[in-house]
Structures are given as structure tokens and as C-alpha cells.
């Protein structure tokens, strides 16, 4: 079952929160684990991003245990594009126009899925495709409320990660020359 | 995934990357997904289950 981090903080006691967060393990990507334990709270309180937890429902109902199966964090991001590209290309990226306020558009807004992974301890209980579909489902709600259509992700240059995102509709358009992360996008339609 | 993605400036300088981006966003058929996974109803239900189970635990 899916619960927003905001609601979880509101409903769970400090003890339940600490226990649930401390049992989230992600050895193949320590950053994902660190983010949930060290930064998610601050990012949530400043509205820099929103985190969503997928909790094992049966375990909660039967045993009263809060087991986080997976989580993801979404935010807004901007893709900066060079001024030299054609108006036609800018219009295609913007979806509406090549200019804003009389000037060429040089920034395209996108939804960012900044963190997404499952808990090593209960990983067999959830499929990665369900996690990303859940994130896309959240973004679709945002799209219906305020618009937006591009979803952006970055991942390490590992075939299994790229295949995972490609299987879920993302396509690679670039590798960041500085940190070497693979950048991918998809439409949210 | 990278925490850095939240803070970094995504600056696309390469024209080939822009062309790829345009192609992906205009020519690729979008893969569908289950939009109900995070529906308002599903999330309200989850919150109610969480509230009820934790309240039961607190009172036991």
C-alpha cells in the first residue's frame, strides 16, 4: 500500500518512524538508503521534493509491523537547452511555443524521479516495475492538476538499470559529461 | 539514482542530445501504466489502514 511520507510522519509515532526507516537497506545503491535516512525529512519539510513509501499491507494488518518495501522521491527539475537550437525544436520540446515573453525558451520543465528503490530485506515482495508505475501514477495526478508532461531520471551507467527504465518507457538521450550519469526521459501521456 | 539530481543544473549543450530529446518526446510511442496505483481513493484507503493498525497497536 502507498502512503505519502508526509502522511506517514503525521500518523506514525516517532518510535514507529525510527523503526521503519532504520530497517530500510539498499546495499547496491547506498545513496538511496542514505537519502531516506538523512535527507528525506528535510526535503519534505521544505517542499523540495515529495517522498512516497510502499508499505507491506499484510504485515501491517496481521502483525502490526511497518515494513517499507520500497520508496521513491519526486520533484520538479529544469532541463536547460542551448539558445542555438531551432525554433521548431524548441516548440516541440515546449509543446506549445518557442518563445516566452518575446524571448527564446531556454528551459524546459520536467518531473524528476530522484530516488527509487526497494528494500533489500523485503525485496522479493515487490516488483520494480510496480514501484515506477506508482511514481508515474503520482506524477499523472500532478499533470492533471497543473500540467506537465516530461519525466526525467538519471541513473548509473549500468545495463540492468538502463534496461529497467527502458522497459518502463524511458529512453536515453545523453550521458552527463561531468558525473557520467545516464539521463533518460519519457512522456507522461 | 542520484541524490545529486535534485540539486544539479541539467544543462544540455550538445545539439545531438537535443535532437534525441526531441525525437523521444515527439516520436516515441508512450508506454502505458496503471494510473490507479496512486489514485486518491487508493491512498486514502492506505492512510486509513495505517492509522487504524497503528492506533490498535498503541492501545494494545
Amino acid at each position: 500500500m502507498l502512503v505519502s511520507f508526509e502522511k506517514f510522519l503525521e500518523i506514525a509515532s516517532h518510535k514507529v518512524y525510527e523503526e521503519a526507516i532504520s530497517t530500510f537497506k539498499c546495499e547496491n545503491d547506498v545513496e538511496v538508503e542514505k537519502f531516506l535516512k538523512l535527507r528525506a525529512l528535510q526535503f519534505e519539510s521544505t517542499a523540495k521534493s515529495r517522498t512516497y513509501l510502499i508499505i507491506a499491507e499484510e504485515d501491517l494488518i496481521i502483525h502490526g509491523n511497518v515494513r517499507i518495501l520500497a520508496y521513491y522521491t519526486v520533484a520538479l527539475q529544469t532541463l536547460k537547452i542551448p539558445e542555438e537550437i531551432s525554433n521548431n525544436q524548441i516548440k516541440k520540446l515546449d509543446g506549445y511555443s518557442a518563445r516566452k515573453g518575446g524571448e527564446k525558451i531556454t528551459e524546459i520543465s520536467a518531473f524528476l524521479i530522484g530516488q527509487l528503490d526497494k528494500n533489500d530485506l523485503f525485496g522479493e515482495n515487490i516488483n520494480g516495475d510496480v514501484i515506477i508505475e506508482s511514481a508515474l501514477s503520482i506524477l499523472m495526478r500532478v499533470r492533471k492538476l497543473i500540467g506537465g508532461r516530461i519525466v526525467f531520471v538519471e541513473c548509473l551507467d549500468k545495463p540492468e538499470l538502463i534496461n529497467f527504465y527502458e522497459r518502463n518507457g524511458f529512453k536515453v538521450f545523453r550521458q552527463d559529461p561531468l558525473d557520467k550519469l545516464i539521463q533518460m526521459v519519457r512522456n507522461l501521456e | 539514482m542520484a541524490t545529486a539530481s535534485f540539486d544539479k543544473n541539467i544543462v544540455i549543450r550538445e545539439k545531438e542530445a537535443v535532437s534525441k530529446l526531441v525525437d523521444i518526446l515527439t516520436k516515441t510511442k508512450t508506454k502505458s501504466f496503471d494510473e490507479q496505483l496512486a489514485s486518491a481513493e487508493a491512498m486514502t484507503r492506505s492512510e486509513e489502514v495505517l492509522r487504524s493498525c497503528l492506533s490498535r497497536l498503541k492501545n494494545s
Side-chain angles (χ1 to χ4, degrees):
Chain A
M1 59 184 227
L2 180 68
V3 179
S4 71
F5 196 52
E6 184 189 24
K7 276 287 167 193
F8 184 66
L9 291 166
E10 180 192 311
I11 297 169
S13 66
H14 184 70
K15 185 172 174 249
V16 169
Y17 166 83
E18 286 291 337
E19 277 175 11
I21 299 295
S22 68
T23 53
F24 188 92
K25 306 283 176 201
C26 194
E27 277 188 14
N28 62 348
D29 194 341
V30 182
E31 260 199 64
V32 174
E33 186 180 324
K34 271 191 187 169
F35 180 86
L36 184 64
K37 292 178 176 173
L38 304 174
R39 300 186 75 184
L41 193 57
Q42 191 190 8
F43 274 42
E44 194 72 26
S45 63
T46 55
K48 187 172 173 64
S49 65
R50 290 292 178 228
T51 294
Y52 293 86
L53 309 173
I54 301 178
I55 295 171
E57 184 170 341
E58 206 177 292
D59 214 350
L60 177 66
I61 293 172
I62 298 172
H63 306 290
N65 295 327
V66 180
R67 306 281 190 224
I68 299 171
L69 300 179
Y71 88 90
Y72 54 85
T73 302
V74 291
L76 295 172
Q77 182 49 289
T78 304
L79 310 181
K80 294 186 179 172
I81 50 173
E83 276 192 39
E84 309 82 65
I85 69 168
S86 71
N87 284 340
N88 185 39
Q89 280 186 311
I90 300 174
K91 192 175 173 182
K92 282 178 176 172
L93 289 174
D94 178 71
Y96 179 72
S97 174
R99 291 182 171 269
K100 193 158 75 174
E103 291 182 9
K104 237 179 173 182
I105 290 172
T106 54
E107 292 185 344
I108 305 293
S109 51
F111 298 119
L112 165 72
I113 301 177
Q115 299 289 359
L116 182 148
D117 220 324
K118 51 182 161 179
N119 190 343
D120 289 349
L121 302 181
F122 317 110
E124 70 280 6
N125 296 330
I126 189 157
N127 180 307
D129 293 348
V130 173
I131 309 171
I132 197 157
E133 285 204 14
S134 175
L136 292 170
S137 174
I138 283 285
L139 297 178
M140 189 52 114
R141 285 179 63 187
V142 180
R143 174 193 160 90
K144 283 177 180 168
L145 290 170
I146 62 162
R149 72 187 169 105
I150 302 171
V151 187
F152 172 78
V153 295
E154 286 189 307
C155 69
L156 295 172
D157 189 5
K158 291 183 177 177
E160 66 272 23
L161 290 176
I162 296 168
N163 288 342
F164 167 71
Y165 286 107
E166 284 184 337
R167 195 168 69 236
N168 286 285
F170 289 83
K171 301 273 180 206
V172 177
F173 70 94
R174 180 177 184 254
Q175 181 169 34
D176 190 309
L178 300 175
D179 58 20
K180 306 297 177 197
L181 289 172
I182 300 296
Q183 299 181 332
M184 306 176 81
V185 286
R186 69 160 279 168
N187 263 318
L188 193 57
E189 289 161 32
Chain B
M1 314 253 39
T3 305
S5 305
F6 292 109
D7 300 318
K8 75 194 256 193
N9 254 336
I10 313 291
V11 186
I12 307 158
R13 292 196 173 85
E14 314 81 12
K15 286 188 177 172
E16 314 78 64
V18 174
S19 296
K20 265 192 190 176
L21 194 57
V22 171
D23 282 350
I24 295 166
L25 296 172
T26 55
K27 294 178 184 167
T28 310
K29 195 168 176 259
T30 311
K31 185 183 179 292
S32 62
F33 58 91
D34 183 358
E35 288 184 34
Q36 296 310 307
L37 282 172
S39 68
E41 295 75 20
M43 292 191 71
T44 302
R45 186 195 154 274
S46 296
E47 287 159 22
E48 282 165 3
V49 170
L50 183 68
R51 203 182 293 277
S52 143
C53 289
L54 292 183
S55 155
R56 198 182 64 210
L57 197 68
K58 197 177 166 185
N59 296 326
S60 65

